[in-house]
Amino acid sequence: MKIDLNTLTIRKVHDALIKGEYSAVDLARSYLSEIEMKNKDLNAYLEVYDDVLEQAISADKRIKNGNATLLTGIPVAVKDNILIKGRRAGSASKILEGYTASYDATVISKLKDAGVVFLGRTNMDEFAMGGSTENSAFGTSKNPHDISRVPGGSSGGSAVAVASNMALVALGSDTGGSIRQPASFCGLVGLKPTYGSVSRHGLMAMASSLDVIGSIAKTVEDAQIIFDCIKGRDPMDSTSIDLETKPSTLSPKPLVVGVPRAFTESEGIDKSVIENFKSSLEILKKQGFEVVDVSLPTIEYSLAVYYIIMPAEASTNLSRFDAVKYGFHKAGKNLLEDYELSRGEGFGKEVRRRIILGTHVLSSGYYDAYYNKAVSAREIIIEDFAKVFKSVDVIATPTTPSPAFKIGEKSDNPLAMYLADIFTVSANIASIPAISVPSGFAEVEGKKLPLGLQFIAPSGGEETLFALSKNFLKK
Ligand code: GLN
């Protein structure tokens, strides 16, 4: 049975499954055959599960018994840093060689309860550190719009899987842009929810005060459906909350969209991005929204603050990978040498760089100068956003300063790579929700490369983000 995967959405699949137009097994087979055809070249999956059809059979039983949910039978790809009991998980790192998860992440339990079909685990930058998947220990994923280019990262494999019909939706994690940036590079929707609204239990920690799990999807509604399933307070994550989502404010009064103009047009932003952003704002105006310039003077410091706080937290989190309890191990002459050899070889270059950076900013004598200062600056950025949200409902920026770059183009220049996060990190610093939606294409070397528009809302403003994004995409 041939199913046209291009136009599928969760709701369409659900209706078709309920009507019996095709079964969850038919659907799973269609995705598996796409994976079979494309994964060799695109490297989206590190592993495709061997029980996909069994999972689909269970979904079909549930549908037959009349107790299916909207997500029963939906094929989902999972980033390699989210644990599924009994399955391999490794954050695309050599140090977790052979590690099998002993429990389900809370988001996974929720999706299992809903009856989804897990297709496999997706490639990523090692421990979610990067924006291209070039830091994976298992090769770079390729952007399906131009395979000489990166798909973005760190959830790059998840984005490639969805963009090339190797999954209907995918889970990712976002610490500084890792859902939104690959979504933007691959022409998809990416949601980074409010910090704490989704449990982090079972997500391999990168920077605990910034990490959040979200989804990459083809439509806003699909991202919303996944969010609705996985959100909620969880006793296993003390930072999780039952989010008080504010109802969408699209009507009766038109939404006010704020643009931090000085920032969105600053030096180094690609011309194609600025042009595309301007036309997106024109669309919003035509749709009746009020677009106003806002001043967010501290937003430009978000990146500097991020690259202190993130490595500080990551260096602490990654100290648990001692190569003794699990994973890759290289024996030396004594315990210290064991650590040095195993961590020196088990971790890739970027991860080691961030561990060293993080350890440095936390070390005595530098703690006040770097870490504490960054924490204070974070407070000021949070206040700055709060001030602006008194007069606007949503803030708009491009998602990335350029379209997808070439594989290898930035890999020798970590600073250039870090600058690719310029528009995304501030939402993580301020713990607020943000979404990236496709906003058009840049024509580069005869290829059409997707661009993204980012909307940022105050805490709990997800419904507004969904409503505004859906409206914008109707253009
Ligand atoms: N690209 C950013 C970084 O390298 C974001 C990573 C993320 O969100 N996990 O830190």
Side-chain angles (χ1 to χ4, degrees), residues 181 185 268-274 398-403 410 416 419-423 451:
Q181 186 250 23
F185 280 5
I269 317 286
D270 207 88
K271 243 172 85 194
S272 64
V273 170
I274 296 183
T399 307
T400 60
S402 75
K410 296 187 202 279
L419 281 167
D421 305 324
I422 188 95
F423 291 125
L451 295 170

Side-chain angles (χ1 to χ4, degrees), residues 155-342:
S155 315
S158 286
V160 176
V162 177
S164 56
N165 286 333
M166 291 195 273
L168 182 53
V169 283
L171 290 184
S173 64
D174 193 312
T175 305
S178 276
I179 288 176
R180 290 160 287 159
Q181 186 250 23
S184 167
F185 280 5
C186 292
L188 300 166
V189 174
L191 171 73
K192 173 219 131 27
T194 302
Y195 177 77
S197 63
V198 178
S199 169
R200 290 180 294 112
H201 176 63
L203 168 70
M204 291 185 200
M206 177 181 170
S208 309
S209 77
L210 303 163
D211 296 342
V212 60
I213 298 176
S215 58
I216 297 181
K218 285 195 285 193
T219 65
V220 176
E221 193 189 22
D222 284 357
Q224 181 175 12
I225 291 169
I226 297 292
F227 173 64
D228 284 339
C229 173
I230 62 178
K231 70 184 180 189
R233 209 189 86 76
D234 173 17
M236 301 303 284
D237 171 4
S238 60
T239 61
S240 67
I241 46 166
D242 272 326
L243 192 65
E244 267 182 51
T245 39
K246 306 191 179 57
S248 158
T249 49
L250 273 196
S251 60
K253 65 173 176 68
L255 220 66
V256 183
V257 180
V259 180
R261 188 81 59 175
F263 186 51
T264 57
E265 285 175 16
S266 51
E267 214 190 298
I269 317 286
D270 207 88
K271 243 172 85 194
S272 64
V273 170
I274 296 183
E275 289 308 308
N276 177 265
F277 182 59
K278 282 187 181 154
S279 36
S280 298
L281 296 179
E282 286 310 311
I283 292 168
L284 289 169
K285 281 187 205 159
K286 271 202 206 109
Q287 291 180 331
F289 299 107
E290 198 183 323
V291 177
V292 298
D293 285 1
V294 294
S295 151
L296 258 168
T298 58
I299 196 172
E300 62 181 284
Y301 300 108
S302 299
L303 196 69
V305 167
Y306 174 79
Y307 275 97
I308 301 281
I309 291 180
M310 174 274 300
E313 295 184 14
S315 69
T316 312
N317 277 325
L318 267 55
S319 64
R320 66 171 62 102
F321 300 109
D322 58 5
V324 174
K325 292 194 279 293
Y326 39 67
F328 174 79
H329 177 80
K330 193 138 198 201
K333 286 197 285 296
N334 52 43
L335 185 63
L336 185 64
E337 238 186 70
D338 274 18
Y339 289 152
E340 285 171 354
L341 286 172
S342 307

